[in-house]
Amino acid sequence: VQLQASGGGSVQAGGSLKLSCKASGMIWSVFTASRLGWYRQAPGKQRELVAELTTSGSINYQNSVKGRFTISKDNSRKTVYLQMNSLEPEDTAVYYCNVEGGSRDYWGQGTLVTVSS
């Protein structure tokens, strides 16, 4: 199983980006039952949870991104998304997708998001 993340880039404050993460090689039924998450790590800081979609279908966001970011998934594509709007310089970080499923924990390679003021 490989998680292939994409969609990062450089934007000005107030802009938008949509991150995608495809779970290649994962059985569909495992993906649909998995917990899905997006994390980020800014320079000099610890990795932190940004948003998650739990196995029960609940969605949780870090307080700083509530109302601006939206996590979603497309089971048919085995892909999890993170729509990021109203981006702020404080959102600058490497973003990682995470899939917990089939008793395994998978991580994407990270995609860099840079927000300039």
Side-chain angles (χ1 to χ4, degrees):
V1 174
Q2 284 190 327
L3 301 187
Q4 300 164 309
S6 61
S10 297
V11 295
Q12 290 191 326
S16 298
L17 285 172
K18 186 173 185 177
L19 307 183
S20 301
C21 177
K22 182 176 177 62
S24 298
M26 180 171 280
I27 298 171
W28 179 84
S29 59
V30 172
F31 179 83
T32 59
S34 295
R35 171 193 171 275
L36 309 174
W38 284 97
Y39 291 73
R40 68 186 180 187
Q41 187 167 18
K45 295 187 176 181
Q46 289 188 330
R47 190 174 297 188
E48 60 182 8
L49 177 65
V50 175
E52 66 173 345
L53 207 165
T54 70
T55 56
S56 65
S58 298
I59 295 177
N60 300 306
Y61 295 100
Q62 182 189 106
N63 284 338
S64 67
V65 307
K66 284 182 180 177
R68 301 188 296 120
F69 290 13
T70 303
I71 187 172
S72 63
K73 67 173 181 174
D74 184 334
N75 286 332
S76 67
R77 291 182 167 83
K78 292 181 287 185
T79 299
V80 57
Y81 303 97
L82 186 68
Q83 176 68 49
M84 305 185 293
N85 298 327
S86 301
L87 282 161
E88 303 169 353
E90 293 73 23
D91 297 318
T92 294
V94 177
Y95 284 71
Y96 299 89
C97 56
N98 171 244
V99 176
E100 293 180 7
S103 302
R104 296 282 300 272
D105 193 13
Y106 302 95
W107 288 89
Q109 82 280 14
T111 183
L112 177 63
V113 172
T114 303
V115 185
S116 58
S117 57

